[in-house]
Amino acid sequence: MPVSKAALAITLTTITILSLLPVDNIKGIDLTFWNLPVAADKIAHFIAFLVISGLIDSFCYQDAFNLKKAAIAAIYGIWIESLQSLTDYRHPSFWDIVANCVGILMYWMLIPLFKITPILRVRWQYKETTHLETTSEHVDK
């Protein structure tokens, strides 16, 4: 699905950049929203990785969401935290990684609901349609 490729690339690029920006003002840009309460920060991580998991799942639509896809999302989160440790102004957090993993797990648990949600179920319908077309082509030969 070309849209999911673009959405995944844009999302990962944006999150990577935002996670590495300093939390103070940058040349007149107000970044005070970074000073979130701890709970709000963890909720932001949770939501981000719920979305990332869905985008990875849509990008690799041929297979069901599995441990490999979950690991890719988790490794990305750990990579971001590692990059933050290389800066003088951002710090890695174990609890950010936990929030990321909870977002990934929640995506996995919500898949049955997503499959019946009109705007989201296209991910699974596309797979079924493609599989049926491929199967019928092999039968015809």
Side-chain angles (χ1 to χ4, degrees):
M1 290 186 190
V3 171
S4 62
K5 290 178 186 179
L8 180 60
I10 291 167
T11 301
L12 294 180
T13 301
T14 302
I15 289 174
T16 302
I17 291 168
L18 290 175
S19 69
L20 296 175
L21 286 176
V23 293
D24 297 328
N25 287 344
I26 302 174
K27 296 185 181 184
I29 301 172
D30 183 18
L31 296 175
T32 55
F33 63 88
W34 250 267
N35 296 327
L36 298 172
V38 172
D41 177 57
K42 301 314 168 231
I43 290 169
H45 278 265
F46 167 83
I47 292 169
F49 278 81
L50 181 93
V51 170
I52 288 169
S53 297
L55 292 171
I56 289 172
D57 194 26
S58 293
F59 175 70
C60 303
Y61 63 89
Q62 298 88 346
D63 299 320
F65 194 79
N66 53 32
L67 192 55
K68 182 179 179 181
K69 290 181 182 182
I72 289 168
I75 289 168
Y76 170 73
I78 293 167
W79 178 70
I80 290 294
E81 295 299 317
S82 300
L83 289 177
Q84 287 180 345
S85 73
L86 300 175
T87 70
D88 294 335
Y89 48 83
R90 298 298 295 258
H91 305 288
S93 166
F94 169 78
W95 294 110
D96 288 350
I97 295 170
V98 170
N100 298 347
C101 291
V102 171
I104 296 164
L105 181 61
M106 186 57 68
Y107 173 79
W108 208 337
M109 292 172 50
L110 290 174
I111 288 174
L113 178 63
F114 295 153
K115 284 182 176 183
I116 61 171
T117 304
I119 196 162
L120 299 176
R121 69 179 176 211
V122 70
R123 175 261 184 261
W124 290 274
Q125 289 173 338
Y126 187 79
K127 176 184 176 186
E128 292 168 6
T129 304
T130 304
H131 177 69
L132 289 174
E133 289 171 359
T134 305
T135 305
S136 66
E137 287 174 9
H138 290 296
V139 171
D140 293 339
K141 290 181 180 180

